[in-house]
Amino acid sequence: YYPFIKNLAEFNFSEGYSPIFNNLKIIGFPFLVSIIHAIFYLVFDLYGIILLEIIFIFLFLLIFFLIFKELEFSNRQSVFFSFLFYSIPQILFFLNDFSIPYIFNLKQLYSSFYSLRFPRPLVTNLFFFSFLFFVIKFYKSKEINYSKKYLYFSGIFIGLQLNSFFFFSILTF
């Protein structure tokens, strides 16, 4: 996806990477999932991608902290479970070296829960988890004005998912 980020940052929408075919007009690619990376690439060059990984890890932990707080966990429990959820794929990867039954199956199941692979699951899962957070807020909201706001935010994240990872958007619909 680096070429997409670079071309989006340079506003080059016709690059086909083919020595035979050129002048391809406009080529479509999922730009909403790459636009944040393109902006950071413009500002910080390649260091922007590394900086975004740190920001996205923080956002993941923050979203899960807020989800657990919304589910009425304490602050300590929310922080603990946020770090635990972030660490599940790495823990299962470590346990895969031992001969524990079904660890490989669990590793395969949770391998795409969250990792630093761009764009999925680094960005797309954040859209999905943000959607879940706003749906929980919508469900628990007692005031109609706030519930509308949460519903609008969930709709925005459905739209972002529709452009970034189609299967999550089907799930959220």
Side-chain angles (χ1 to χ4, degrees):
Y1 283 86
Y2 172 73
F4 291 139
I5 293 170
K6 187 174 185 303
N7 286 330
L8 185 60
E10 296 171 352
F11 295 108
N12 181 8
F13 300 109
S14 63
E15 185 65 48
Y17 308 106
S18 171
I20 300 169
F21 300 106
N22 51 17
N23 193 15
L24 296 174
K25 307 288 188 241
I26 294 179
I27 296 176
F29 59 89
F31 66 91
L32 283 178
V33 75
S34 305
I35 200 160
I36 299 169
H37 282 76
I39 292 168
F40 271 71
Y41 177 78
L42 276 174
V43 175
F44 301 107
D45 203 43
L46 287 177
Y47 297 110
I49 295 172
I50 297 169
L51 181 63
L52 272 179
E53 287 186 358
I54 294 168
I55 291 171
F56 282 135
I57 291 170
F58 174 74
L59 286 175
F60 174 88
L61 295 172
L62 178 67
I63 289 169
F64 269 93
F65 174 80
L66 294 173
I67 287 173
F68 288 124
K69 284 303 291 178
E70 198 62 36
L71 296 175
E72 299 176 2
F73 284 83
S74 71
N75 284 343
R76 282 185 171 173
Q77 290 171 332
S78 299
V79 168
F80 173 76
F81 285 125
S82 299
F83 278 104
L84 180 68
F85 274 38
Y86 180 75
S87 302
I88 282 176
Q90 289 83 12
I91 292 169
L92 291 174
F93 182 76
F94 174 73
L95 290 177
N96 194 32
D97 293 339
F98 301 103
S99 61
I100 302 172
Y102 303 111
I103 287 296
F104 178 76
N105 295 342
L106 283 174
K107 184 184 138 227
Q108 293 300 320
L109 181 65
Y110 287 107
S111 64
S112 64
F113 179 72
Y114 196 74
S115 71
L116 298 179
R117 187 171 44 110
F118 173 80
R120 188 181 74 81
L122 179 67
V123 180
T124 57
N125 285 22
L126 281 184
F127 292 159
F128 181 69
F129 299 141
S130 300
F131 165 78
L132 290 178
F133 170 68
F134 284 113
V135 165
I136 292 170
K137 292 284 280 183
F138 171 75
Y139 179 75
K140 293 186 76 175
S141 177
K142 293 183 172 66
E143 287 190 38
I144 192 74
N145 291 334
Y146 286 122
S147 62
K148 282 182 183 179
K149 179 177 74 169
Y150 300 139
L151 192 61
Y152 292 144
F153 279 123
S154 355
I156 289 170
F157 283 109
I158 288 175
L160 290 171
Q161 289 171 9
L162 187 60
N163 185 269
S164 62
F165 190 52
F166 183 71
F167 300 109
F168 277 170
S169 62
I170 290 174
L171 180 66
T172 56
F173 281 135

